[in-house]
Structure formats: structure tokens, C-alpha cells
Amino acid sequence: LKPSVAREPVMAGAADASTPGCEESLPPPLHGLRPSRGPLAEWPTVALAVVDAVDGTRIEVLPNHSEVLTAPLILDTAIYIEGPADCSARLLGEEGILVTAETVRRNAVVLRSMRLNVNGGPAFVAAGGCTVERCVITATGVGVEVTTRSSSAVRLVDTVVHGCNVGISLAGSATMVLDNTVIESCACGIMVTGLDIKEGWNEALASLAGVAFRENRRADLALRAWSVWEAASGKVRRAPPGGEVSVKGWPLESCSVVAPTDRGAVVLHISGGSVNATLFEEEEETPRHGSEDPSMEMMPEQERELELEQEQEQEQEQEQEQEEHQGDMRPIV
């Protein structure tokens, strides 16, 4: 069907024009368009409604609507898709949603109160400005993937990402805001690839600190292909290919990890949204601290090494005392 009411809401899978609670959730007018609750065009699927949608279209999905996606659902216009308040509308299959809207406005694409259950590729890929609110996302692979193209215009609010191999995959130069979002029962909660920080303190994870983790098996946060800029020389230390830094308990707990690079070891201290990089010289054991902050605590590995060194020194001193004592003894005639 061609939308003869393109300037009014589109109802997917609908035969009823009344969906309670929608008045409060209407988006602001886009390009002079103001959604209303007047006559509605009807499409049997969300995918067909999206094909005919123009900038500013709002698609309302009725309760218990279930749809199998046989191809990626591409959202390349400013569009608003809202499911019922009970989040009973579902999009299923081996394909997910791809946001490619040519704008960096955070609310250019809005997905609200929907369930995504994808077996295969990522359930939701953000390569453009979008907000995901009050949704439940489940996937066998990646739940939400944010690319570098999306800049800082991606936001997850009151959303649950569940049962994925990787809950959220984030390119290091891209940022997103997690607000009251839960990542649970995944192998890895958040995977950040290509994080670029400087020696000392960085607010590199500040926008992610609003997340809560529950029962993730391998890691809550993992860093891959990360790098550190040396303050004095300006040179870059890079993580080895395939190397990974993984922590659990973040952001509620501070975490410290000693990680190798191509120019010596680096101590990464992660506290809330902040990351401190302390550098070791390539052939020295003494770290070159990137910060004088007293909150930097010695890690268990360093404490054990120090204890071993102290024990060895004590043993050497005892041996020397025994040798001196034996040398002072004289035979009795």
C-alpha cells in the first residue's frame, strides 16, 4: 500500500486505532510534521511500514505482534517505532535492525518498547543517530553494535540486553550513553575495540558507567586493540594483536590490570568512568606513574613480587650471618 496518510501515524499489524498510553510518548515534530491520533494507515508488518515511511513517520505496533525478519530492517530516515507498554511486540529471525539515518541527532531514530530476538548477526547495529528505550534485546552473537560513524548520538535507556555472546560491541572512537541499562547473562558484557587513551587519567568510559551487569560469564568489560600515548615522548604503545584486557565487577568496583604492549607493560586502573594508564619502561621494573593520585593502589601481583623480593633478601642476610659466625669459631686444643 502507498501511504495516503504519510503525515499521520502508521499502524503495523493493526486493526485498531487505539493504543493506550501513546499520547505521552509522541516524539517532537520533525520537519514540521506533528503525529496525531487520526485515521491510520495499516500494514501487516513493520518491515513493509518502514519501506513506505518518510521522515517523521511514527509506527505504532500493537500488543503481541510477532514478526520474522527475513532481511535486515534498515532505518535510513528519521522514524519512530513504538511497541505496546507491556513490550509484547517482537521482531525475530536471523536478521536485525540497521540504523543508517544520515544525521547525528540522538532522536533521529527511536525504538521504544520492543523485543528483538536474533539468531545470527547483531540484533541492532547503530551507524546513525538513535535512541533505544525500554526494549529487551537478545541475540546469539552481538546484541548492540555501535560503529565509528555513529559519533556520540547513540543512547540506550531503560533497556535490557540479555543472553548474547557480546552484549554491546563498541568501536573505540565511537561513544554511546547507557542510562539505567542492564546487560545480563552474556559471555562478555561490553567489548570496546580500538580505545585510544593518553598516559595518566582519562574519562574514556564515562558515558558507559550508567550500566549494570548481572551474571556475565567471562567479563563485564573487555578492551581489545587499545593503545596509550606516552606523555613525554608522544609515542604510542599498542596492545599485542589478539590481546584482551578483561575485568569483572566494574563499574561498581575499581579494577587494575597489568597488560603487555609493544613498548613495555602498562597498568590500567579502571575506576567508574575513568581509566588511568601507568607505564613501565621496557627494561625496568619500576613503573613510571601517569598520575600522583593517591587512590592508585598497589595490585596483588605487585604485592606478591615485593614480598618474594623481601623474603629473598632476608634469606641472603641469614646465610651471610651464619657464614660469619662459622668463621669466628676456633678449634679447642
Side-chain angles (χ1 to χ4, degrees), residues 74-166:
I74 300 175
L75 307 181
D76 56 1
T77 59
I79 193 170
Y80 187 97
I81 301 176
E82 181 171 16
D86 61 1
C87 208
S88 61
R90 301 183 301 164
L91 299 178
L92 315 170
E94 297 182 355
E95 303 290 350
I97 294 177
L98 173 60
V99 178
T100 62
E102 292 290 342
T103 176
V104 296
R105 289 188 300 111
R106 179 171 294 165
N107 291 320
V109 173
V110 177
L111 183 71
R112 174 179 286 182
S113 300
M114 294 287 295
R115 287 182 177 268
L116 300 180
N117 193 332
V118 176
N119 295 318
F124 189 92
V125 178
C130 61
T131 295
V132 178
E133 184 175 358
R134 296 203 304 264
C135 291
V136 178
I137 299 175
T138 305
T140 56
V142 177
V144 178
E145 182 172 339
V146 182
T147 70
T148 55
R149 183 183 178 187
S150 62
S151 183
S152 60
V154 178
R155 188 165 175 250
L156 263 65
V157 182
D158 297 329
T159 290
V160 176
V161 181
H162 172 83
C164 307
N165 184 40
V166 176

XYZ file of all heavy atoms in Angstrom, residues 74-166:
668
model
N 16.304 -1.924 7.677
C 17.160 -0.753 7.521
C 16.349 0.502 7.799
O 15.351 0.774 7.125
C 17.780 -0.709 6.112
C 18.631 -1.961 5.881
C 18.625 0.552 5.941
C 19.190 -2.064 4.481
N 16.805 1.273 8.774
C 16.149 2.536 9.135
C 17.050 3.672 8.665
O 18.026 4.031 9.331
C 15.930 2.610 10.644
C 15.188 1.422 11.271
C 15.015 1.626 12.764
C 13.853 1.183 10.595
N 16.739 4.235 7.501
C 17.577 5.272 6.905
C 16.876 6.626 6.854
O 17.314 7.529 6.149
C 18.035 4.855 5.512
C 16.875 4.525 4.583
O 15.717 4.643 5.023
O 17.135 4.143 3.431
N 15.774 6.764 7.574
C 15.074 8.040 7.697
C 14.779 8.297 9.173
O 14.883 7.386 10.005
C 13.742 8.032 6.918
O 12.916 6.963 7.433
C 13.970 7.818 5.435
N 14.408 9.528 9.483
C 14.000 9.844 10.848
C 12.655 9.178 11.108
O 11.636 9.558 10.543
C 13.900 11.356 11.030
N 12.655 8.166 11.959
C 11.475 7.330 12.128
C 11.345 6.936 13.595
O 12.338 6.830 14.317
C 11.573 6.077 11.216
C 10.239 5.360 11.127
C 12.659 5.136 11.696
C 10.227 4.269 10.068
N 10.116 6.729 14.015
C 9.807 6.423 15.414
C 8.969 5.149 15.444
O 7.865 5.120 14.921
C 9.041 7.596 16.025
C 8.778 7.520 17.487
C 9.599 8.171 18.391
C 7.688 6.821 17.993
C 9.338 8.139 19.747
C 7.423 6.779 19.346
C 8.254 7.443 20.227
O 7.998 7.405 21.565
N 9.511 4.095 16.032
C 8.807 2.814 16.130
C 8.533 2.545 17.597
O 9.459 2.437 18.403
C 9.635 1.666 15.524
C 9.948 1.945 14.049
C 8.890 0.344 15.664
C 10.845 0.901 13.406
N 7.254 2.436 17.941
C 6.880 2.225 19.337
C 5.983 1.006 19.469
O 4.947 0.890 18.805
C 6.168 3.449 19.904
C 5.783 3.254 21.364
C 5.280 4.526 22.007
O 4.934 5.469 21.268
O 5.212 4.569 23.246
N 6.383 0.098 20.342
C 5.569 -1.057 20.666
C 4.662 -0.768 21.843
O 4.632 0.341 22.379
N 3.911 -1.764 22.286
C 2.992 -1.573 23.413
C 3.757 -1.428 24.721
O 4.920 -1.813 24.836
C 2.151 -2.859 23.390
C 3.059 -3.873 22.761
C 3.874 -3.135 21.748
N 3.091 -0.874 25.720
C 3.736 -0.630 27.011
C 4.221 -1.907 27.671
O 5.201 -1.895 28.418
C 2.767 0.111 27.935
N 3.559 -3.044 27.388
C 3.974 -4.305 28.015
C 5.119 -4.980 27.266
O 5.549 -6.073 27.623
C 2.795 -5.269 28.127
C 2.212 -5.643 26.768
O 2.734 -5.174 25.727
O 1.228 -6.412 26.740
N 5.618 -4.346 26.218
C 6.778 -4.838 25.459
C 6.522 -6.244 24.891
O 7.418 -7.079 24.816
C 8.015 -4.856 26.350
S 9.575 -4.662 25.473
N 5.283 -6.489 24.461
C 4.924 -7.819 23.962
C 5.091 -7.954 22.456
O 4.931 -9.049 21.919
C 3.476 -8.143 24.349
O 2.581 -7.203 23.767
N 5.401 -6.883 21.754
C 5.620 -6.958 20.306
C 7.054 -7.408 20.043
O 7.996 -6.890 20.642
C 5.359 -5.610 19.655
N 7.231 -8.381 19.114
C 8.542 -8.986 18.920
C 8.954 -8.992 17.456
O 8.130 -9.207 16.560
C 8.532 -10.433 19.427
C 8.175 -10.598 20.895
C 8.266 -12.050 21.302
N 7.361 -12.892 20.508
C 7.448 -14.217 20.428
N 8.396 -14.855 21.088
N 6.589 -14.898 19.712
N 10.255 -8.774 17.254
C 10.887 -8.957 15.951
C 11.891 -10.089 16.095
O 12.804 -10.016 16.924
C 11.581 -7.672 15.494
C 10.684 -6.442 15.316
C 11.519 -5.230 14.920
C 9.596 -6.696 14.270
N 11.723 -11.133 15.260
C 12.518 -12.347 15.401
C 13.252 -12.659 14.110
O 13.036 -12.021 13.075
C 11.606 -13.537 15.759
C 10.536 -13.322 16.831
C 9.600 -14.506 16.857
C 11.189 -13.134 18.181
N 14.138 -13.668 14.175
C 14.766 -14.176 12.962
C 16.281 -14.136 13.026
O 16.889 -14.002 14.088
N 16.916 -14.259 11.850
C 18.365 -14.246 11.753
C 18.907 -12.886 11.356
O 20.114 -12.714 11.226
C 18.828 -15.306 10.743
C 18.466 -16.728 11.155
C 18.985 -17.755 10.170
O 19.547 -17.336 9.128
O 18.841 -18.958 10.431
N 18.042 -11.926 11.125
C 18.451 -10.566 10.752
C 17.960 -9.584 11.797
O 16.948 -9.808 12.473
C 17.880 -10.185 9.377
C 18.261 -11.141 8.264
C 19.726 -11.060 7.891
O 20.411 -10.129 8.355
O 20.198 -11.932 7.139
N 18.696 -8.479 11.937
C 18.347 -7.490 12.939
C 18.024 -6.146 12.326
O 17.643 -6.028 11.160
N 18.178 -5.090 13.132
C 17.879 -3.723 12.723
C 19.194 -2.987 12.456
O 20.140 -3.084 13.231
C 17.079 -2.992 13.816
C 15.694 -3.644 13.973
C 16.925 -1.515 13.500
C 14.860 -3.035 15.084
N 19.240 -2.245 11.357
C 20.409 -1.456 10.985
C 19.988 0.002 10.858
O 19.163 0.346 10.006
C 21.002 -1.953 9.666
C 22.141 -1.130 9.057
C 23.327 -1.054 10.006
C 22.557 -1.720 7.711
N 20.551 0.878 11.694
C 20.258 2.307 11.653
C 21.333 3.007 10.839
O 22.507 2.995 11.202
C 20.196 2.914 13.065
C 19.947 4.418 12.991
C 19.102 2.247 13.884
N 20.929 3.621 9.724
C 21.876 4.321 8.859
C 21.407 5.727 8.551
O 21.844 6.329 7.571
C 22.079 3.560 7.536
O 20.818 3.492 6.842
C 22.603 2.162 7.783
N 20.498 6.264 9.361
C 19.944 7.595 9.103
C 21.062 8.620 8.992
O 21.966 8.664 9.833
C 18.976 7.987 10.217
N 21.034 9.456 7.953
C 22.093 10.433 7.683
C 21.932 11.656 8.574
O 21.624 12.753 8.128
C 22.057 10.849 6.207
C 22.455 9.746 5.259
C 23.941 9.421 5.353
O 24.700 10.257 5.886
O 24.347 8.344 4.906
N 22.113 11.463 9.867
C 22.031 12.565 10.825
C 22.708 12.121 12.096
O 22.812 10.933 12.366
C 20.569 12.945 11.117
O 20.552 13.954 12.129
C 19.773 11.746 11.602
N 23.200 13.066 12.881
C 23.805 12.733 14.165
C 22.884 13.104 15.321
O 23.278 13.025 16.474
C 25.163 13.448 14.344
C 26.149 12.972 13.321
C 25.003 14.958 14.269
N 21.657 13.513 15.035
C 20.734 13.833 16.119
C 20.370 12.568 16.872
O 20.049 11.549 16.278
C 19.464 14.498 15.581
C 19.709 15.905 15.077
C 18.402 16.606 14.743
N 17.646 15.931 13.713
C 16.499 15.312 13.920
N 15.985 15.256 15.126
N 15.845 14.727 12.934
N 20.434 12.666 18.196
C 20.250 11.476 19.023
C 18.882 10.843 18.822
O 18.740 9.632 18.871
C 20.464 11.851 20.495
C 20.281 10.705 21.463
C 20.713 11.126 22.845
N 22.135 11.393 22.886
C 22.736 12.056 23.875
N 22.031 12.522 24.871
N 24.033 12.255 23.847
N 17.834 11.633 18.611
C 16.483 11.093 18.488
C 16.011 11.017 17.044
O 14.816 11.053 16.778
C 15.513 11.939 19.321
C 15.760 11.778 20.808
O 16.031 10.670 21.262
N 15.715 12.868 21.542
N 16.941 10.960 16.080
C 16.541 10.836 14.688
C 15.773 9.537 14.471
O 14.774 9.496 13.752
C 17.763 10.884 13.781
N 16.252 8.448 15.079
C 15.554 7.163 15.047
C 15.294 6.753 16.485
O 16.208 6.763 17.318
C 16.386 6.080 14.330
C 15.721 4.725 14.458
C 16.581 6.455 12.861
N 14.044 6.408 16.786
C 13.681 5.991 18.132
C 13.007 4.621 18.051
O 12.084 4.421 17.258
C 12.725 7.003 18.806
C 12.297 6.501 20.179
C 13.391 8.369 18.924
N 13.490 3.700 18.863
C 12.874 2.384 19.012
C 12.486 2.238 20.465
O 13.333 2.315 21.355
C 13.856 1.283 18.599
C 13.308 -0.145 18.635
C 12.307 -0.356 17.500
C 14.439 -1.165 18.535
N 11.179 2.037 20.710
C 10.703 2.001 22.089
C 9.773 0.816 22.312
O 8.938 0.478 21.469
C 9.957 3.308 22.413
C 9.293 3.319 23.781
C 8.598 4.626 24.063
N 9.551 5.688 24.362
C 9.178 6.925 24.687
N 7.906 7.247 24.719
N 10.088 7.821 24.969
N 9.964 0.177 23.472
C 9.057 -0.876 23.962
C 8.904 -2.012 22.962
O 7.791 -2.450 22.657
C 7.678 -0.276 24.305
O 7.803 0.714 25.299
N 10.031 -2.510 22.445
C 10.026 -3.639 21.520
C 10.970 -4.727 22.032
O 11.896 -4.461 22.794
C 10.476 -3.198 20.125
C 9.537 -2.234 19.431
S 8.007 -3.023 18.859
C 8.624 -4.159 17.617
N 10.711 -5.962 21.580
C 11.614 -7.085 21.851
C 12.292 -7.518 20.559
O 11.621 -7.708 19.545
C 10.850 -8.275 22.436
C 10.398 -8.083 23.878
C 9.683 -9.304 24.407
N 9.317 -9.134 25.796
C 10.071 -9.511 26.820
N 11.220 -10.136 26.603
N 9.675 -9.298 28.056
N 13.625 -7.670 20.616
C 14.393 -8.194 19.486
C 15.005 -9.513 19.911
O 15.662 -9.603 20.961
C 15.501 -7.223 19.075
C 15.095 -5.815 18.632
C 16.337 -5.011 18.267
C 14.137 -5.873 17.470
N 14.805 -10.529 19.095
C 15.392 -11.844 19.369
C 15.993 -12.364 18.074
O 15.277 -12.816 17.181
C 14.320 -12.800 19.894
C 14.930 -14.064 20.476
O 16.011 -14.481 20.066
N 14.248 -14.672 21.423
N 17.332 -12.275 17.964
C 18.012 -12.548 16.699
C 18.997 -13.700 16.870
O 19.829 -13.692 17.786
C 18.748 -11.292 16.194
C 19.534 -11.609 14.929
C 17.744 -10.173 15.929
N 18.910 -14.667 15.988
C 19.872 -15.764 15.921
C 20.745 -15.558 14.697
O 20.308 -15.793 13.575
C 19.153 -17.119 15.816
C 18.345 -17.430 17.051
O 18.797 -17.202 18.163
N 17.133 -17.937 16.860
N 21.956 -15.101 14.916
C 22.842 -14.859 13.775
C 23.636 -13.597 13.982
O 24.404 -13.478 14.943
N 23.452 -12.629 13.089
C 24.199 -11.380 13.159
C 23.764 -10.523 14.320
O 22.902 -10.899 15.126
N 24.338 -9.310 14.445
C 23.945 -8.406 15.523
C 22.455 -8.100 15.486
O 21.861 -7.953 14.421
C 24.779 -7.144 15.236
C 25.937 -7.623 14.425
C 25.412 -8.757 13.604
N 21.865 -7.994 16.667
C 20.432 -7.697 16.733
C 20.152 -6.242 16.370
O 19.129 -5.941 15.747
C 19.903 -8.005 18.134
N 21.067 -5.334 16.740
C 20.850 -3.908 16.494
C 22.195 -3.269 16.177
O 23.120 -3.329 16.988
C 20.219 -3.247 17.714
C 19.760 -1.833 17.495
C 18.470 -1.560 17.092
C 20.628 -0.770 17.693
C 18.040 -0.253 16.886
C 20.216 0.534 17.491
C 18.918 0.797 17.088
N 22.322 -2.674 14.987
C 23.554 -2.004 14.575
C 23.267 -0.516 14.436
O 22.377 -0.119 13.677
C 24.092 -2.565 13.243
C 25.351 -1.814 12.816
C 24.375 -4.061 13.363
N 24.024 0.311 15.155
C 23.834 1.759 15.122
C 24.974 2.399 14.341
O 26.100 2.486 14.820
C 23.780 2.316 16.537
N 24.670 2.840 13.126
C 25.617 3.596 12.316
C 25.070 4.992 12.071
O 25.500 5.681 11.150
C 25.866 2.886 10.990
N 24.120 5.407 12.894
C 23.498 6.722 12.792
C 22.841 7.063 14.107
O 22.745 6.234 15.013
N 22.367 8.297 14.235
C 21.791 8.753 15.487
C 20.531 7.984 15.855
O 19.646 7.777 15.029
N 20.443 7.543 17.120
C 19.262 6.775 17.530
C 19.164 6.715 19.053
O 20.146 6.907 19.771
C 19.292 5.363 16.953
S 20.704 4.382 17.501
N 17.954 6.406 19.514
C 17.678 6.128 20.920
C 16.906 4.824 21.008
O 15.916 4.639 20.296
C 16.863 7.263 21.569
O 17.647 8.453 21.593
C 16.460 6.908 22.990
N 17.359 3.937 21.872
C 16.660 2.677 22.149
C 16.184 2.760 23.594
O 16.992 2.906 24.509
C 17.578 1.464 21.942
C 16.836 0.179 22.280
C 18.097 1.424 20.517
N 14.880 2.672 23.787
C 14.314 2.904 25.111
C 13.312 1.814 25.474
O 12.470 1.428 24.675
C 13.627 4.275 25.138
C 13.091 4.666 26.501
C 12.534 6.080 26.515
O 12.609 6.763 25.469
O 12.017 6.498 27.565
N 13.451 1.298 26.682
C 12.535 0.297 27.247
C 12.382 -0.910 26.327
O 11.278 -1.418 26.119
C 11.167 0.920 27.537
C 11.202 2.015 28.593
C 9.846 2.208 29.257
N 8.777 2.478 28.326
C 8.343 3.693 28.025
N 8.928 4.748 28.568
N 7.348 3.883 27.189
N 13.500 -1.380 25.780
C 13.481 -2.554 24.913
C 14.193 -3.723 25.587
O 14.951 -3.551 26.537
C 14.157 -2.239 23.573
S 13.245 -1.078 22.532
N 13.946 -4.930 25.071
C 14.652 -6.139 25.500
C 15.310 -6.736 24.270
O 14.629 -7.043 23.279
C 13.697 -7.163 26.148
C 14.466 -8.425 26.539
C 13.002 -6.561 27.361
N 16.638 -6.896 24.316
C 17.401 -7.344 23.152
C 18.115 -8.640 23.502
O 18.881 -8.700 24.472
C 18.419 -6.273 22.718
C 17.685 -4.990 22.327
C 19.282 -6.781 21.565
C 18.608 -3.840 22.003
N 17.873 -9.681 22.702
C 18.502 -10.981 22.885
C 19.112 -11.415 21.564
O 18.494 -11.264 20.511
C 17.486 -12.030 23.354
O 16.835 -11.563 24.539
C 18.145 -13.368 23.636
N 20.321 -11.969 21.608
C 20.981 -12.405 20.376
C 21.985 -13.501 20.708
O 22.546 -13.539 21.809
C 21.683 -11.239 19.684
N 22.221 -14.395 19.747
C 23.252 -15.409 19.934
C 24.639 -14.834 19.699
O 25.628 -15.357 20.200
C 23.028 -16.590 18.974
O 22.974 -16.092 17.624
C 21.724 -17.304 19.290
N 24.734 -13.748 18.930
C 26.011 -13.096 18.664
C 26.135 -11.812 19.456
O 26.252 -11.815 20.680
N 26.105 -10.681 18.757
C 26.215 -9.359 19.378
C 24.822 -8.773 19.561
O 24.013 -8.787 18.632
C 27.080 -8.423 18.511
C 27.130 -7.027 19.117
C 28.488 -8.986 18.369
N 24.561 -8.232 20.740
C 23.270 -7.611 20.981
C 23.152 -6.250 20.301
O 22.285 -6.031 19.466
N 24.066 -5.329 20.645
C 24.074 -3.977 20.080
C 25.484 -3.677 19.596
O 26.445 -3.810 20.361
C 23.639 -2.921 21.106
C 23.713 -1.520 20.503
C 22.233 -3.213 21.615
N 25.618 -3.272 18.350
C 26.914 -2.900 17.791
C 26.887 -1.430 17.397
O 26.004 -0.994 16.652
C 27.249 -3.760 16.575
C 28.610 -3.446 15.975
C 29.007 -4.438 14.890
O 28.451 -5.563 14.878
O 29.848 -4.077 14.059
N 27.850 -0.653 17.902
C 27.935 0.775 17.619
C 29.208 1.026 16.829
O 30.302 0.693 17.289
C 27.939 1.607 18.914
C 27.968 3.093 18.593
C 26.716 1.272 19.758
N 29.075 1.615 15.651
C 30.220 1.838 14.782
C 30.769 3.244 14.961
O 30.162 4.100 15.592
C 29.825 1.637 13.305
O 28.966 2.723 12.905
C 29.081 0.324 13.122
N 31.938 3.500 14.361
C 32.574 4.812 14.478
C 31.722 5.892 13.827
O 31.760 7.042 14.224
C 33.949 4.797 13.806
O 33.802 4.365 12.446
C 34.883 3.862 14.518
N 30.935 5.520 12.825
C 30.148 6.507 12.092
C 29.081 7.157 12.956
O 28.627 8.271 12.693
C 29.508 5.818 10.883
C 28.707 6.745 9.992
C 28.071 5.944 8.877
N 27.259 6.769 8.014
C 26.493 6.297 7.045
N 26.460 4.997 6.812
N 25.776 7.102 6.300
N 28.676 6.477 14.029
C 27.545 6.949 14.813
C 27.880 8.114 15.731
O 27.005 8.683 16.353
C 26.984 5.796 15.656
O 27.968 5.335 16.551
N 29.155 8.477 15.839
C 29.596 9.611 16.650
C 29.072 9.450 18.078
O 29.191 8.388 18.668
C 29.128 10.915 16.010
O 29.590 12.028 16.735
N 28.505 10.530 18.656
C 28.068 10.467 20.055
C 26.556 10.478 20.175
O 26.012 10.923 21.174
C 28.648 11.659 20.826
O 28.204 12.865 20.248
N 25.863 10.021 19.158
C 24.413 10.185 19.109
C 23.654 8.889 19.336
O 22.549 8.733 18.879
C 24.013 10.785 17.761
N 24.238 7.930 20.064
C 23.573 6.656 20.334
C 23.306 6.555 21.829
O 24.197 6.788 22.643
C 24.429 5.465 19.864
C 23.736 4.145 20.200
C 24.700 5.563 18.374
N 22.073 6.201 22.168
C 21.663 6.193 23.576
C 20.780 4.992 23.866
O 19.826 4.730 23.128
C 20.924 7.496 23.888
C 20.607 7.732 25.344
C 20.222 9.194 25.554
N 19.794 9.452 26.913
C 18.548 9.728 27.266
N 17.608 9.772 26.332
N 18.230 9.944 28.524
N 21.108 4.244 24.923
C 20.283 3.147 25.411
C 19.731 3.540 26.776
O 20.503 3.847 27.694
C 21.086 1.856 25.529
C 20.975 0.863 24.357
C 21.556 1.481 23.105
C 21.673 -0.448 24.683
N 18.395 3.503 26.910
C 17.739 3.940 28.136
C 16.782 2.849 28.611
O 15.972 2.341 27.823
C 16.952 5.250 27.898
C 16.320 5.728 29.202
C 17.853 6.324 27.310
N 16.881 2.485 29.883
C 15.946 1.517 30.485
C 15.809 0.270 29.622
O 14.698 -0.257 29.435
C 14.566 2.164 30.677
C 14.609 3.338 31.640
O 15.445 3.316 32.550
O 13.823 4.286 31.460
N 16.903 -0.208 29.105
C 16.895 -1.343 28.176
C 17.666 -2.513 28.773
O 18.640 -2.318 29.508
C 17.504 -0.919 26.828
O 16.597 -0.015 26.180
C 17.755 -2.094 25.905
N 17.235 -3.727 28.440
C 17.900 -4.946 28.901
C 18.499 -5.661 27.695
O 17.806 -5.909 26.705
C 16.919 -5.886 29.625
C 17.613 -7.193 30.008
C 16.350 -5.212 30.863
N 19.799 -5.968 27.778
C 20.490 -6.768 26.765
C 20.806 -8.108 27.421
O 21.517 -8.170 28.427
C 21.766 -6.076 26.268
C 22.441 -6.912 25.195
C 21.447 -4.677 25.741
N 20.295 -9.190 26.847
C 20.270 -10.474 27.555
C 20.768 -11.617 26.674
O 20.446 -11.699 25.484
C 18.829 -10.768 28.002
C 18.626 -12.133 28.568
N 18.909 -12.449 29.885
C 18.183 -13.281 27.998
C 18.643 -13.725 30.093
N 18.195 -14.248 28.966
N 21.557 -12.526 27.263
C 21.879 -13.807 26.647
C 22.680 -13.721 25.363
O 22.532 -14.591 24.503
N 23.560 -12.724 25.222
C 24.354 -12.569 23.997
C 25.774 -13.089 24.210
O 26.235 -13.233 25.340
C 24.414 -11.099 23.578
S 22.798 -10.294 23.443
N 26.465 -13.343 23.112
C 27.898 -13.613 23.223
C 28.607 -12.335 23.665
O 29.423 -12.352 24.589
C 28.451 -14.101 21.890
C 29.912 -14.478 21.982
O 30.349 -15.074 22.960
N 30.686 -14.110 20.980
N 28.310 -11.223 23.008
C 28.774 -9.896 23.421
C 27.547 -9.002 23.530
O 26.821 -8.825 22.552
C 29.783 -9.298 22.414
C 30.170 -7.882 22.824
C 31.020 -10.180 22.311
